Amino acid sequence: MSTVAGSPLADVQSSMEARGIELDDVGISGLRYPVRVEMANGSRQCTVCEARLSVSLADDVRGTHMSRFVELIDHAAVISPSAMIAIVADLASRLEAADASVDVSFPLFIRRAAPVTGRSALLAIDCRLCASHGASGASLRISARIPVTSLCPCSKEISDYSAHSQRGYVTVTALDASWRLGEDGLWPEELLKVCDDAASAPIYPVLKRLDERHVTMLAYDRPAFVEDLARDVAVALRDEQRIDGFEIEVVNQESIHDHQAFARVRWGRS
């Protein structure tokens, strides 16, 4: 209980509510906070997340206690897929809520070596973990936005020489089938290889001349429409038993048009 000069302060949030309307989500969003993220190899990386935390609110309670959301993130020792399951369950317990959700987005930096010279630097991929807790149990979505190179098959086919290429972004959101059961599941950085394999060429943070020559010719030998990228990533993920479904969106920043090209596909196990 909070007191001032020995007198208790009123807990207005917990006061009775008479309008009889249950709220699906109440909480905080846009919270930027330093966190440690666990990676697939067991290491931990310091980064900054943007968090959204919410709970359901019963129809007879006026408000929730917003400070507890910040305290939850502050007390979290590490962010990982398995930790998110525990964090969202803790949130529901602390706020005595039937349903709770924790959504964190953060950049993850992967050291990547150039294909010929081996010179390395850090590649940033945008990751997101979204965990929910409710009457039906826990659920977790794992997302990563991966930069890729794509070379246009049409341009290559109809041109006497050369072909236009562009940077694309593949965003994969996978519905977890393993972490929520206490089993080892998919890590966000694993999606990097899946998208690289579908692309005309991977993206590298550092390229010397020998590397640039290699990547340029690799892309020319592996042309791919935005539709090809979406389908090839989908084919790879359909065989992944650690997920129950996915959504894939590919966006190409077209180099010879003033618009973007995109493709999207959703899939779930029946």
Side-chain angles (χ1 to χ4, degrees):
M1 177 181 295
S2 299
T3 61
V4 173
S7 299
L9 296 175
D11 185 357
V12 181
Q13 288 92 334
S14 297
S15 61
M16 292 296 296
E17 165 60 42
R19 282 165 286 193
I21 297 177
E22 181 179 353
L23 298 180
D24 296 323
D25 292 284
V26 296
I28 64 173
S29 62
L31 173 66
R32 297 179 65 204
Y33 218 80
V35 291
R36 288 190 301 164
V37 175
E38 186 173 352
M39 302 176 70
N41 62 8
S43 66
R44 294 180 177 182
Q45 185 175 120
C46 294
T47 184
V48 175
C49 79
E50 182 168 320
R52 181 184 187 275
L53 303 93
S54 65
V55 294
S56 59
L57 191 65
D59 60 6
D60 60 350
V61 179
R62 185 173 180 185
T64 191
H65 295 83
M66 298 291 182
S67 62
R68 297 181 187 177
F69 295 104
V70 180
E71 289 174 336
L72 186 75
I73 290 294
D74 184 65
H75 295 161
V78 66
I79 299 295
S80 71
S82 61
M84 288 289 289
I85 301 295
I87 289 170
V88 74
D90 186 25
L91 178 62
S93 176
R94 287 187 185 212
L95 290 168
E96 301 179 348
D99 301 289
S101 177
V102 178
D103 188 335
V104 293
S105 301
F106 51 89
L108 199 61
F109 295 90
I110 309 296
R111 182 159 293 277
R112 167 162 282 189
V116 179
T117 65
R119 300 290 183 89
S120 70
L122 296 174
L123 176 71
I125 60 173
D126 295 321
C127 301
R128 181 181 179 189
L129 299 173
C130 182
S132 298
H133 175 90
S136 58
S139 67
L140 176 67
R141 283 178 168 78
I142 299 165
S143 180
R145 179 176 180 260
I146 308 297
V148 296
T149 296
S150 66
L151 185 133
C152 177
C154 180
S155 174
K156 177 180 177 179
E157 181 68 25
I158 65 177
S159 301
D160 291 338
Y161 49 86
S162 189
H164 81 84
S165 63
Q166 54 271 318
R167 182 187 301 170
Y169 289 92
V170 184
T171 302
V172 180
T173 301
L175 178 61
D176 166 64
S178 299
W179 291 115
R180 63 186 177 84
L181 301 177
E183 302 171 357
D184 290 338
L186 183 75
W187 294 84
E189 59 265 38
E190 290 184 77
L191 296 171
L192 179 60
K193 183 179 187 306
V194 175
C195 296
D196 283 345
D197 289 345
S200 297
I203 293 289
Y204 295 91
V206 169
L207 291 173
K208 309 305 283 186
R209 280 173 292 177
L210 287 172
D211 302 308
E212 185 172 353
R213 179 178 184 273
H214 172 89
V215 170
T216 301
M217 293 191 298
L218 176 64
Y220 191 79
D221 289 337
R222 297 170 53 183
F225 288 126
V226 68
E227 298 94 332
D228 296 320
L229 291 172
R231 285 174 170 144
D232 284 346
V233 173
V235 167
L237 291 181
R238 280 189 311 192
D239 295 331
E240 177 51 73
Q241 296 301 309
R242 293 174 295 171
I243 63 176
D244 279 335
F246 56 74
E247 178 176 327
I248 301 163
E249 182 177 72
V250 184
V251 178
N252 276 351
Q253 299 177 330
E254 293 290 289
S255 61
I256 62 172
H257 305 292
D258 64 351
H259 59 255
Q260 297 176 339
F262 79 94
R264 182 184 297 121
V265 59
R266 300 179 182 91
W267 177 84
R269 298 192 190 280
S270 56

